[in-house]
Amino acid sequence: MKKILVLGAGRSSTVLIAYLIENAPSFDWQVTVGDISEAAAKERIGPSPNAKAIYFNIEDAESSRAAIANTDVVISMIPPQMHPLVAKICLAENKHLLTASYVSDEMKSFHTEAKAKGLLFLNECGLDPGIDHMSAMQVINKIKLDGGKVTSFESFTGGLITPETDIENPWRYKFTWNPRNVVLAGQGTAKYLQGGKFKYIPYQQLFTRTTPVTVPGLEPYEGYPNRDSLKYVVAYGLQECKTIVRGTLRNAGYCNAWNILVQLGCCDDTYLMEGVGTMSHNDFIASFLNDQKSEEVLCLRFGLSANGEDMKRLSWSGLFTNEKIGLEKGTPAQILEHILNKKWKLKLGDKDLIVMWHRFKYVLGDVEKEIQAWMTTTGDDEIKTAMAKTVGLPLAIACKLLLQEKIKSSGVVIPLQSEIYDPLLNELKALGISLTEKHR
Amino acid sequence: MKKILVLGAGRSSTVLIAYLIENAPSFDWQVTVGDISEAAAKERIGPSPNAKAIYFNIEDAESSRAAIANTDVVISMIPPQMHPLVAKICLAENKHLLTASYVSDEMKSFHTEAKAKGLLFLNECGLDPGIDHMSAMQVINKIKLDGGKVTSFESFTGGLITPETDIENPWRYKFTWNPRNVVLAGQGTAKYLQGGKFKYIPYQQLFTRTTPVTVPGLEPYEGYPNRDSLKYVVAYGLQECKTIVRGTLRNAGYCNAWNILVQLGCCDDTYLMEGVGTMSHNDFIASFLNDQKSEEVLCLRFGLSANGEDMKRLSWSGLFTNEKIGLEKGTPAQILEHILNKKWKLKLGDKDLIVMWHRFKYVLGDVEKEIQAWMTTTGDDEIKTAMAKTVGLPLAIACKLLLQEKIKSSGVVIPLQSEIYDPLLNELKALGISLTEKHR
């Protein structure tokens, strides 16, 4: 019998846990789900005889060690900044670790020891990063095998909502993953390569420097670059490529309206505001303007039409009402998240939509060629979301491959090897998750 | 004989050191100037028999302790983040400490121990903070004494250049203090009080939310709020005041042009750029735009006229030329400072200009009244700058008052007590530095 420990029973873990439990009998797995709320973990596993729920708090070193010591592989879905704590225990106890998060510098520092011990610390194995890495590598390696040279790689992914969901919502967006990360998205400087030149976009420009993205058959989207596209140049083997951008996809119009919140300072997470307890939504916005008449002043300041698309989005979110915020304290980012959550929380029957789009330009002989590859995945409902499927299934499948000893890699890795991405993408395809390609 | 140790022989210390040396014979002082460059310290003191120069490096704990042990009072002009190191030695060796810098949280933590030992740790005793505190407190206390109630306090100070200096310079600005601080100015969020409401301006809006400031008889200026005006509400005794803003003054038009550099991301100090060694000024700007034709793209992006005031300022600074930057590596902020310094360095005969302006609104009985108070100080040349006078003389005079035992305060203080500001402002007036008032 093999034991699997899933840490975190939150909204992104539903499909992961369901897959593991469903496959547990055939593969002789025992699945343990640990969460800071044991009740949440219990609810997630249901009545399965192959699964149990435990209280897990990574800040409690003793019980964390005991839980990890008693498993074969750990899948960590807890907040990324806590992964190094999990990794340290996995090293001490000789356990494999799988995550869907970006490799931090601290995680990277465990590589040599993990490799020496023959442990797999597989990261960036969810949706984005994850399926995007794997599907892109498959195409890139095919182009290279055919003798082509990739000159440009662009890749955008977004967690959106289906057209029939929440139809009056002008943002065409709801929270389908950690809302805090949505509010803080893009802080720092985006770095990428364009036509052989290094390019930098600071936060204050990010949401105004979007690229229109047309995915065949779908609504118009726009993309903005993620923080660091440069770190994949070598990892992807794209040293000769002139343009490399990885980014985030939103429905057209989202970024322009979001930019107003960024410009005002509503996404700042560095200081606590004064007098939050008595503030209304409008007071919150007005504290970033020189007058209490937020709507008028905002239109004037940013040259917006009172009936235009941007103001429609901001108004729909209730930002100008006299409703009390309902928090006693908070940073601007915490307060904005709280206000937006009143409208942006998935409700019964809401379906989310994942859209991923890659464009590869390459030269074959003397001919300039292009491949577009795209994927959409729709949620079943507000629990089995497309986000939970596309984040959870790659991890679940990687876990299965690992326990079947089909993955030989070890150390801190991301899924760029064909021994991982070929079988993983194959099974995803069988589960209805795959990319469509268009060649030119 | 009393011993005074001045730490730092940089551009802001010239007048401070000259005052101390000039007054040394009459007051029986021995002046020691310590700098990381002993040669610079030697040059600063000249041939005076009452002064000596030493090598001083705060990171060398042993020699720092020896130097401080051998004095009565320390005046620290080294970078503010190093003041706590100096303060710790002063505490251990029972020495007074004077600085022109803002009180940091760490400096504040020394209050109880300094007070218990009867030591004066006087901070914020330069120009701004310094003369602005003292001159404002004198007016505020006078209004209160007359039975008035202050309802609004605005205060702006700027280190500029005289109208006849560098006449072709469209910024009307040169580096008269630490250039790095000029490039990083305003990062974070400005907090102030307006009409009884807390207001917040993030960096990305700061240089577009300026206030026109009219100082009688002078050129048109504009001001932007400093980082934290709220911390002086209690210190100034202005708990009932509805509007409190302290800010920075620039010639009209400066902020609009500077904002373009802020928006581009040129002032970012958080990452090292790629390939700096081969980059031209234009390459630097183009790395923040989607095309090498910086001027055209910039005009398009920010809606600027190619011949307008903003582009004139940016062009004059050489930002679009093919001149090599001349650095091997650097953050955007370091590179921008390096480029600007080619034009913004004070040259022979340049005269700088300090402008300070306060406006107090108050109610006396039922009558609304107003006092404006302002001051200008001009540099003698590029060495004895107005900046060096107005930063150095308050410290020098405070040192004299302290050694004459005319200051009874102890602990970590800022000059808001009349025992400090009355005699200090009196002597400044005798030296030609004083504010003019206009009542209404």
Side-chain angles (χ1 to χ4, degrees):
Chain A
M1 191 186 66
K2 294 287 186 181
K3 293 181 184 169
I4 303 166
L5 173 62
V6 178
L7 303 179
R11 72 184 90 194
S12 299
S13 302
T14 56
V15 178
L16 163 67
I17 293 168
Y19 178 101
L20 294 175
I21 291 177
E22 197 183 313
N23 286 279
S26 350
F27 294 101
D28 194 19
W29 294 338
Q30 173 69 37
V31 180
T32 303
V33 175
D35 196 278
I36 211 158
S37 155
E38 196 180 335
K42 272 215 173 77
E43 195 193 323
R44 201 60 84 208
I45 59 168
S48 166
N50 302 98
K52 65 172 179 178
I54 61 168
Y55 166 79
F56 184 92
N57 180 353
I58 188 63
E59 285 167 3
D60 176 345
E62 262 324 290
S63 69
S64 296
R65 179 173 295 267
I68 292 172
N70 186 33
T71 192
D72 293 294
V73 52
V74 177
I75 304 178
S76 180
M77 301 292 281
I78 62 176
Q81 66 274 21
M82 295 173 175
H83 287 156
L85 294 173
V86 177
K88 279 179 191 165
I89 304 178
C90 288
L91 276 180
E93 301 292 336
N94 289 304
K95 309 298 176 187
H96 302 290
L97 172 64
L98 311 179
T99 85
S101 306
Y102 282 104
V103 174
S104 63
D105 287 342
E106 198 174 358
M107 182 61 80
K108 208 182 290 173
S109 73
F110 303 135
H111 177 69
T112 311
E113 192 179 345
K115 201 171 172 65
K117 292 187 161 185
L119 297 174
L120 177 67
F121 280 14
L122 177 64
N123 296 275
E124 307 192 16
C125 191
L127 166 64
D128 160 27
I131 298 176
D132 64 335
H133 284 333
M134 295 187 274
S135 54
M137 279 310 293
Q138 206 172 43
V139 174
I140 290 168
N141 284 340
K142 177 75 170 54
I143 292 172
K144 286 184 173 178
L145 205 66
D146 293 345
K149 204 181 92 180
V150 180
T151 55
S152 168
F153 169 57
E154 301 150 276
S155 173
F156 292 90
T157 303
L160 312 167
I161 53 176
T162 60
E164 67 275 18
T165 292
D166 207 14
I167 48 175
E168 82 293 355
N169 176 345
W171 295 88
R172 307 309 308 138
Y173 190 82
K174 297 186 96 171
F175 289 136
T176 58
W177 65 305
N178 189 343
R180 180 169 163 79
N181 292 351
V182 176
V183 171
L184 300 182
Q187 296 193 3
T189 297
K191 303 175 194 176
Y192 62 99
L193 200 61
Q194 180 196 291
K197 302 277 183 189
F198 293 107
K199 296 291 180 183
Y200 308 87
I201 306 182
Y203 185 51
Q204 59 267 31
Q205 289 291 298
L206 189 63
F207 296 97
T208 71
R209 295 266 304 262
T210 57
T211 310
V213 175
T214 308
V215 184
L218 296 181
E219 302 168 67
Y221 299 115
E222 57 195 15
Y224 62 85
N226 289 348
R227 189 161 178 142
D228 191 356
S229 297
L230 302 181
K231 64 180 172 183
Y232 297 104
V233 174
V234 175
Y236 278 31
L238 292 178
Q239 287 88 337
E240 292 180 83
C241 189
K242 299 283 184 201
T243 296
I244 299 179
V245 191
R246 292 177 74 248
T248 298
L249 210 65
R250 292 287 178 259
N251 282 68
Y254 176 102
C255 291
N256 225 39
W258 187 260
N259 182 52
I260 294 163
L261 298 173
V262 169
Q263 293 301 327
L264 284 175
C266 297
C267 304
D268 195 322
D269 198 43
T270 62
Y271 66 93
L272 292 170
M273 298 187 79
E274 307 279 338
V276 177
T278 59
M279 269 163 68
S280 68
H281 295 187
N282 186 67
D283 290 336
F284 172 66
I285 298 297
S287 66
F288 302 106
L289 294 166
N290 60 5
D291 196 286
Q292 283 298 104
K293 292 176 194 157
S294 295
E295 287 177 89
E296 287 172 38
V297 183
L298 205 61
C299 288
L300 209 63
R301 174 140 197 82
F302 293 98
L304 306 175
S305 149
N307 305 312
E309 289 301 311
D310 296 323
M311 285 303 283
K312 203 187 284 178
R313 288 184 175 84
L314 299 174
S315 295
W316 182 83
S317 306
L319 290 165
F320 307 118
T321 70
N322 290 319
E323 185 181 335
K324 291 285 174 234
I325 293 169
L327 285 176
E328 278 311 306
K329 57 175 192 167
T331 64
Q334 288 166 340
I335 294 168
L336 179 63
E337 176 189 334
H338 188 82
I339 294 174
L340 290 179
N341 207 35
K342 297 177 185 179
K343 303 283 286 197
W344 280 16
K345 203 171 172 171
L346 288 179
K347 61 180 194 300
L348 194 71
D350 277 351
K351 290 183 181 179
D352 70 327
L353 173 71
I354 298 293
V355 178
M356 180 180 288
W357 176 86
H358 303 307
R359 180 164 56 192
F360 309 85
K361 295 183 181 172
Y362 63 105
V363 184
L364 189 63
D366 285 341
V367 188
E368 292 186 358
K369 303 201 131 220
E370 183 184 296
I371 298 174
Q372 287 186 52
W374 67 95
M375 169 191 109
T376 60
T377 304
T378 304
D380 297 347
D381 52 40
E382 76 285 2
I383 308 292
K384 285 203 155 186
T385 60
M387 185 63 83
K389 291 183 196 180
T390 52
V391 172
L393 290 173
L395 283 170
I397 298 166
C399 177
K400 186 176 75 176
L401 294 170
L402 175 66
L403 293 177
Q404 289 175 329
E405 297 179 6
K406 288 182 179 164
I407 301 180
K408 304 296 171 210
S409 308
S410 61
V412 175
V413 299
I414 64 175
L416 301 180
Q417 304 89 330
S418 60
E419 66 157 2
I420 300 176
Y421 67 69
D422 277 335
L424 207 157
L425 290 173
N426 272 344
E427 182 165 346
L428 280 180
K429 190 171 186 177
L431 295 168
I433 297 173
S434 66
L435 282 80
T436 304
E437 287 182 16
K438 187 172 121 185
H439 293 241
R440 206 187 54 166
Chain B
M1 192 186 67
K2 294 287 186 180
K3 294 180 183 170
I4 302 166
L5 173 63
V6 177
L7 303 179
R11 73 184 89 196
S12 298
S13 302
T14 55
V15 178
L16 164 66
I17 293 168
Y19 177 100
L20 294 175
I21 291 177
E22 196 182 315
N23 286 277
S26 353
F27 294 101
D28 194 19
W29 294 338
Q30 173 69 37
V31 180
T32 304
V33 175
D35 196 279
I36 212 158
S37 155
E38 195 180 335
K42 272 215 172 76
E43 194 192 323
R44 202 60 85 207
I45 60 167
S48 164
N50 303 98
K52 65 173 179 176
I54 61 169
Y55 167 79
F56 183 91
N57 180 353
I58 188 62
E59 284 166 4
D60 177 346
E62 262 324 291
S63 70
S64 296
R65 180 175 295 268
I68 291 172
N70 186 32
T71 190
D72 293 295
V73 50
V74 177
I75 303 177
S76 180
M77 301 291 283
I78 63 177
Q81 67 273 20
M82 294 171 175
H83 287 155
L85 294 172
V86 177
K88 279 179 190 164
I89 305 178
C90 288
L91 275 180
E93 301 293 336
N94 289 303
K95 309 298 178 188
H96 301 290
L97 172 63
L98 310 180
T99 86
S101 305
Y102 282 104
V103 174
S104 64
D105 286 343
E106 200 174 358
M107 181 61 80
K108 208 182 290 176
S109 73
F110 302 134
H111 177 68
T112 311
E113 193 179 344
K115 199 169 173 64
K117 291 186 160 185
L119 297 174
L120 177 67
F121 280 17
L122 178 65
N123 297 275
E124 306 192 16
C125 192
L127 165 64
D128 162 27
I131 298 176
D132 65 334
H133 284 333
M134 296 187 273
S135 55
M137 279 311 291
Q138 206 172 43
V139 174
I140 290 167
N141 283 340
K142 177 77 169 54
I143 291 172
K144 286 184 174 179
L145 204 66
D146 294 346
K149 204 181 90 180
V150 179
T151 56
S152 169
F153 169 58
E154 301 150 278
S155 173
F156 292 91
T157 304
L160 312 168
I161 52 176
T162 59
E164 69 274 18
T165 293
D166 207 13
I167 48 175
E168 82 295 356
N169 175 345
W171 295 87
R172 309 307 309 135
Y173 189 82
K174 297 186 97 170
F175 288 135
T176 58
W177 65 303
N178 189 343
R180 179 168 164 79
N181 292 351
V182 176
V183 171
L184 300 181
Q187 297 193 2
T189 297
K191 302 174 193 175
Y192 63 99
L193 199 62
Q194 180 197 290
K197 302 277 182 190
F198 293 106
K199 297 290 180 182
Y200 308 87
I201 306 182
Y203 186 50
Q204 59 267 31
Q205 289 290 298
L206 189 63
F207 295 97
T208 71
R209 293 268 302 264
T210 56
T211 309
V213 174
T214 309
V215 184
L218 297 181
E219 303 169 67
Y221 299 115
E222 57 195 16
Y224 63 86
N226 289 348
R227 189 159 178 144
D228 193 355
S229 297
L230 302 181
K231 65 180 170 182
Y232 297 103
V233 175
V234 175
Y236 278 30
L238 292 178
Q239 288 89 337
E240 291 180 82
C241 190
K242 298 284 186 202
T243 295
I244 299 180
V245 191
R246 294 176 73 247
T248 298
L249 210 65
R250 292 286 177 260
N251 282 66
Y254 175 102
C255 291
N256 224 39
W258 186 260
N259 182 53
I260 295 162
L261 299 173
V262 169
Q263 292 301 327
L264 284 176
C266 297
C267 304
D268 195 323
D269 199 43
T270 62
Y271 66 92
L272 292 170
M273 297 186 79
E274 307 280 338
V276 177
T278 59
M279 269 163 69
S280 69
H281 295 187
N282 185 66
D283 290 336
F284 172 66
I285 298 297
S287 66
F288 302 106
L289 294 166
N290 60 6
D291 197 286
Q292 284 296 105
K293 292 177 192 155
S294 294
E295 286 176 90
E296 286 172 40
V297 182
L298 205 60
C299 287
L300 209 62
R301 174 140 196 81
F302 293 98
L304 307 175
S305 149
N307 305 311
E309 289 301 312
D310 296 324
M311 285 303 285
K312 202 187 286 179
R313 288 185 174 85
L314 298 174
S315 294
W316 182 84
S317 305
L319 289 165
F320 307 118
T321 69
N322 290 321
E323 184 179 335
K324 291 287 175 232
I325 293 169
L327 285 176
E328 278 311 306
K329 57 178 191 165
T331 65
Q334 287 166 340
I335 295 167
L336 178 63
E337 176 189 333
H338 189 82
I339 295 174
L340 291 178
N341 206 35
K342 297 176 185 181
K343 302 284 285 198
W344 281 16
K345 204 171 172 170
L346 288 179
K347 60 179 196 297
L348 195 72
D350 278 351
K351 290 183 181 179
D352 69 328
L353 173 71
I354 299 293
V355 178
M356 179 180 291
W357 175 85
H358 302 308
R359 179 165 57 191
F360 310 86
K361 294 182 181 173
Y362 63 104
V363 185
L364 190 62
D366 285 341
V367 189
E368 292 185 356
K369 305 202 127 216
E370 184 186 295
I371 298 174
Q372 286 187 53
W374 67 93
M375 170 192 109
T376 61
T377 304
T378 304
D380 298 347
D381 52 41
E382 77 285 1
I383 307 291
K384 285 202 154 186
T385 60
M387 185 63 82
K389 291 183 195 181
T390 52
V391 171
L393 290 173
L395 283 170
I397 298 166
C399 178
K400 185 175 77 176
L401 294 169
L402 175 66
L403 293 177
Q404 289 175 330
E405 297 179 7
K406 288 182 179 165
I407 300 180
K408 304 298 172 207
S409 308
S410 61
V412 175
V413 300
I414 64 174
L416 301 181
Q417 303 89 330
S418 59
E419 67 157 1
I420 300 177
Y421 66 69
D422 277 334
L424 207 157
L425 291 173
N426 272 344
E427 180 163 347
L428 280 180
K429 190 171 185 176
L431 295 168
I433 298 173
S434 67
L435 282 80
T436 304
E437 287 184 15
K438 186 171 124 186
H439 293 240
R440 205 189 54 166

